[in-house]
Amino acid sequence: MLMKDDLMVCGVVLLVLLLMLTIPGYSISDDDIKYIGCYTDDYAKSQNYKIKESITFNQGVHFCQHRLTKYVGIQEDSSSPFFMFPYCGNDIPQRSTSALSTLCRPCEEPATRTCGRENSISVYQLPETANIVVLLATDHGVKTVTDSSNITTNIGGITERVLSVDFYYKNDQIIFSTERELLKSTYNPFSMRYSTASAIYSKDYYSHGDRVEWSTVDWEQEDKIYFYIDGYQYAATLRQIGI
């Protein structure tokens, strides 16, 4: 439970209505991706994110970059030129066995890259630095601005005044509040965007019409969120409120 002084500090911080974070998931330049070599896939299989959708080379790279891993291993399925498995990990080259370069064949797209093949992966090193992204709580929703492009993106599904905004790293979600609701937006690795906002809590669910005043994620205990409703502070695990 936060003490009164802590609540006052939180209130001052939240009045700023701006949160600067290192949020993964924004596009990186093709020149920033360094080819490391061709390796067997034995070790990388333990690091595999099983994707059941057809993805492109760039989406595979982006999938691992969004998780802030150092390497991505690409393995193209011979049954489809656009069905690739990305392997995300920080020690793939060090723990894997080198393979003959001829076992990693050119990708169908882009042909200038190699995409592994059966029992082999092409390993690329991703940039060590992530983009700085500013989350803006505005009178008309949440906006994100990345330092690499200065492009402003709106989180869909919300046009009301946003009182507070925070980020939940474990689930890759933006958590924010209006006077009426607590909401979340979850990252989609295929569209490479955050989803349309959905409500976690709405005052419409309650006859006495509670008013949400602010919310914040506990960065030390990442499974907790604090929110202030009609003058009362609440603490709950994210699982308890449906995250």
Side-chain angles (χ1 to χ4, degrees):
M1 181 68 69
L2 295 177
M3 302 301 292
K4 181 177 180 181
D5 290 343
D6 294 324
L7 294 177
M8 292 178 64
V9 172
C10 288
V12 172
V13 172
L14 292 172
L15 283 174
V16 177
L17 299 183
L18 181 150
L19 180 64
M20 184 175 289
L21 298 167
T22 301
I23 297 181
Y26 287 81
S27 298
I28 55 179
S29 168
D30 190 61
D31 295 335
D32 293 333
I33 305 168
K34 180 182 178 182
Y35 181 63
I36 300 299
C38 185
Y39 295 84
T40 63
D41 64 0
D42 293 341
Y43 172 72
K45 284 179 179 177
S46 66
Q47 305 292 323
N48 188 21
Y49 284 87
K50 289 287 187 181
I51 298 181
K52 302 300 183 182
E53 303 286 342
S54 297
I55 61 172
T56 65
F57 176 89
N58 288 337
Q59 285 176 322
V61 169
H62 194 92
F63 184 80
C64 293
Q65 189 269 337
H66 186 76
R67 282 147 185 79
L68 299 180
T69 60
K70 189 173 182 179
Y71 300 102
V72 55
I74 298 293
Q75 185 175 55
E76 192 171 270
D77 190 326
S78 58
S79 64
S80 169
F82 297 108
F83 194 73
M84 301 182 190
F85 293 99
Y87 295 78
C88 307
N90 293 319
D91 57 357
I92 294 176
Q94 293 81 6
R95 303 291 293 274
S96 300
T97 302
S98 295
L100 293 174
S101 60
T102 53
L103 296 178
C104 289
R105 299 168 59 187
C107 308
E108 291 288 337
E109 179 65 36
T112 55
R113 297 287 190 178
T114 64
C115 284
R117 273 306 189 270
E118 186 177 0
N119 300 322
S120 64
I121 56 173
S122 296
V123 177
Y124 296 85
Q125 183 174 332
L126 301 172
E128 294 186 5
T129 57
N131 293 321
I132 297 298
V133 177
V134 176
L135 297 181
L136 295 172
T138 76
D139 287 340
H140 304 287
V142 175
K143 299 178 184 294
T144 65
V145 185
T146 176
D147 66 335
S148 62
S149 64
N150 290 323
I151 295 175
T152 300
T153 303
N154 296 323
I155 301 297
I158 177 69
T159 57
E160 296 180 48
R161 178 171 175 256
V162 174
L163 302 177
S164 61
V165 60
D166 209 335
F167 192 75
Y168 180 37
Y169 283 94
K170 185 177 181 180
N171 282 9
D172 214 342
Q173 294 172 323
I174 297 173
I175 308 294
F176 52 100
S177 61
T178 68
E179 288 189 0
R180 298 169 54 85
E181 296 176 307
L182 289 175
L183 303 104
K184 66 180 178 181
S185 175
T186 304
Y187 183 76
N188 184 321
F190 302 111
S191 66
M192 295 185 283
R193 292 290 184 270
Y194 283 91
S195 66
T196 298
S198 60
I200 304 169
Y201 161 90
S202 173
K203 79 172 189 177
D204 293 337
Y205 298 158
Y206 299 86
S207 59
H208 47 77
D210 296 333
R211 178 178 180 272
V212 180
E213 297 181 21
W214 59 259
S215 63
T216 186
V217 176
D218 188 332
W219 284 26
E220 290 188 0
Q221 301 181 61
E222 290 185 347
D223 64 339
K224 282 192 175 182
I225 184 170
Y226 297 96
F227 48 101
Y228 210 57
I229 300 176
D230 278 357
Y232 294 93
Q233 179 199 313
Y234 298 87
T237 65
L238 296 175
R239 179 175 296 181
Q240 287 174 327
I241 57 176
I243 298 183

